[in-house]
């Protein structure tokens, strides 16, 4: 099985704050499978670290009010192309991210409030028939 994974979950320091979201659970789950790590935000040309972003009225903006939608969507498109070219079976994505959030994202007020919704990359994968799984839904047997 080929599994695309948010690179931050594999310990790559590509998160907005320069850190990662390493998940032992994901590390365990993907053992024995072909793993394709991606960070749509870095693929879109954004630096690490970077100013936090949220989706505000359908547009990705950073906390300073700068529009980062073009970068987010370009990175999501590149990662989608990679997913389709590699014929991945599923993608395990970081919760609540404006790129990778599967079920929830932050509400765009930069207050920590969460709402139902998907990040731009998660949405693009789903629209193109790729199974997306929130990291919090991964279970090890």
């Amino acid at each position: 099985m080929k599994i695309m994974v948010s690179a931050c979950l594999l310990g790559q320091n590509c998160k907005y704050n320069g850190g990662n979201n390493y998940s032992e659970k994901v590390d365990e789950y993907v053992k024995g499978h072909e793993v394709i790590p991606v960070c749509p935000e870095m693929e879109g040309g954004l630096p690490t670290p970077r100013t936090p972003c949220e989706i505000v009225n359908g547009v990705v903006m950073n906390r300073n009010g700068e529009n980062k939608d073009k970068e987010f969507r370009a990175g999501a498109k590149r990662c989608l192309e990679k997913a389709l070219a590699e014929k991945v079976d599923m993608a395990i994505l970081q919760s609540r991210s404006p790129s990778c959030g599967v079920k929830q994202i932050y509400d765009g007020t930069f207050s920590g409030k969460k709402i139902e919704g998907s990040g731009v990359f998660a949405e693009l994968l789903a629209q193109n028939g790729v199974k997306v799984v929130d990291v919090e839904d991964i279970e090890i047997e």
Side-chain angles (χ1 to χ4, degrees), residues 52-103:
C53 293
E54 292 185 9
I55 299 173
V56 181
N57 298 322
V59 177
V60 183
M61 304 290 287
N62 73 15
R63 184 186 282 147
N64 301 333
E66 298 165 326
N67 187 326
K68 296 297 176 186
D69 201 66
K70 187 180 80 185
E71 293 89 338
F72 269 71
R73 292 189 191 280
K77 187 173 183 283
R78 278 195 201 104
C79 292
L80 170 68
E81 287 165 358
K82 187 183 266 189
L84 297 176
E86 294 280 351
K87 295 180 173 55
V88 299
D89 297 292
M90 67 187 292
I92 300 172
L93 304 177
Q94 173 57 34
S95 310
R96 298 173 297 282
S97 153
S99 288
C100 297
V102 176
K103 301 181 295 189

